[in-house]
């Protein structure tokens, strides 16, 4: 079972498929095991290096403040441990903010960038019963994510704002978004695309979770076409 280390924290990752390496960074509370069908859709085309972010899956879950820059450092540690630097990077939701920060902090490590259902900042805060109870829902394999780890990940996402640095991104970038997404809203997605010079925006049907369910094959096809084009 492979792990990378960032200081004293172990970050779990798994490699599946074959071909061009693709570093896959998942969303809030989502583990590799939770996202198995999503990962499989990409493993048909790529050698996927999927990451359990700090606080999720089999990675360590320290009960201390998390930040997107720290999560990006740990993504870089995975890429280095897997021997795939530079690498194409795909980030979904929270993972999209991690991927963006990785491209900003380690531009030489990112060959190309796919930002899926994400923004350079979080949506406006609103009270949500689903978000309040999400850590306690009986989903995913056991052991499930502890409530404190979910809150730590969520706080990192909510505290992030990279709008002032978007022009620094140099990697070829595809922004992929759902037309019905109420989390990564069209306004946030358009803001992201406008800030990254030369980036393109492509829409898929459905909402925020569609890439994990109904739209995963569509998303995988569009990512494959983009990566083939950028070479």
């Amino acid at each position: 079972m492979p792990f990378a280390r960032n200081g004293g924290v172990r970050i779990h990752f798994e490699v599946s498929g074959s071909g061009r390496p693709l570093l896959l960074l998942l969303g809030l509370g989502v583990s590799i095991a939770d996202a198995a069908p999503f990962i499989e859709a990409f493993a048909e085309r790529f050698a996927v290096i999927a990451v359990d972010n700090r606080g999720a899956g089999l990675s360590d879950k320290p009960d201390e403040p998390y930040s997107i820059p720290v999560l990006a450092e740990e993504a870089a540690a995975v890429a280095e441990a897997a021997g795939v630097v530079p690498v194409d990077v795909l980030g979904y939701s929270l993972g999209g903010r991690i991927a963006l920060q990785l491209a900003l902090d380690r531009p030489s490590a990112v060959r190309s960038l796919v930002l899926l259902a994400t923004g350079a900042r979080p949506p406006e805060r609103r009270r949500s019963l689903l978000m309040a109870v999400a850590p306690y829902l009986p989903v995913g394999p056991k052991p499930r994510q502890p409530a404190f780890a979910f809150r730590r990940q969520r706080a990192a996402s909510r505290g992030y704002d990279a709008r002032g640095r978007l022009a620094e991104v140099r990697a070829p970038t595809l922004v992929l978004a759902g037309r019905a997404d109420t989390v990564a809203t069209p306004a946030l997605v358009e803001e992201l695309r406008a800030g990254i010079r030369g980036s393109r925006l492509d829409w898929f049907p459905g909402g925020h979770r569609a890439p994990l369910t109904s739209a995963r094959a569509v998303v995988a096809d569009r990512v494959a076409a983009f990566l083939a084009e950028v070479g």
Side-chain angles (χ1 to χ4, degrees):
M1 186 176 296
F3 288 88
R5 287 188 176 271
N6 183 43
V9 176
R10 297 184 317 155
I11 303 300
H12 172 245
F13 66 97
E14 293 183 6
V15 181
S16 56
S18 61
R20 182 170 174 166
L22 177 66
L23 184 67
L24 183 59
L25 306 174
L26 299 168
L28 175 63
V30 179
S31 71
I32 292 170
D34 294 331
F38 178 66
I39 294 168
E40 288 168 7
F42 287 94
E44 294 175 0
R45 302 162 170 83
F46 305 104
V48 178
I49 304 98
V51 181
D52 276 333
N53 297 318
R54 164 192 293 240
L58 299 179
S59 289
D60 288 347
K61 304 171 183 66
D63 191 4
E64 62 189 27
Y66 299 1
S67 71
I68 299 299
V70 167
L71 293 168
E73 286 177 13
E74 291 166 353
V78 168
E80 290 165 0
V84 294
V85 179
V87 66
D88 302 305
V89 183
L90 186 157
Y92 163 68
S93 193
L94 167 67
R97 290 193 251 287
I98 299 169
L100 174 60
Q101 190 66 34
L102 178 60
L104 291 169
D105 290 346
R106 303 276 193 101
S108 63
V110 178
R111 177 178 287 128
S112 68
L113 187 60
V114 180
L115 302 175
L116 172 61
T118 195
R121 59 183 173 91
E124 296 298 324
R125 291 193 185 187
R126 60 186 186 278
R127 296 187 65 84
S128 166
L129 177 61
L130 177 60
M131 291 299 283
V133 304
Y136 309 100
L137 293 176
V139 297
K142 295 182 181 299
R144 288 169 40 225
Q145 184 185 41
F148 76 81
F150 181 90
R151 290 193 293 267
R152 293 296 192 185
Q153 285 191 338
R154 183 173 60 181
S157 183
R158 285 179 167 176
Y160 187 66
D161 189 340
R163 285 176 290 176
R165 297 190 62 192
L166 291 177
E168 299 175 33
V169 175
R170 293 291 177 265
T173 301
L174 172 66
V175 178
L176 267 173
R179 291 194 178 276
D181 198 328
T182 59
V183 178
T185 62
L188 288 178
V189 169
E190 292 282 4
E191 178 182 78
L192 182 62
R193 185 214 59 77
I196 301 176
R197 287 193 293 255
S199 64
R200 67 182 69 176
L201 172 59
D202 197 359
W203 299 95
F204 56 84
H208 194 66
R209 289 189 59 80
L212 301 181
T213 55
S214 60
R216 61 177 172 256
V218 172
V219 168
D221 285 344
R222 295 185 186 179
V223 171
F226 170 71
L227 295 183
E229 183 177 337
V230 299

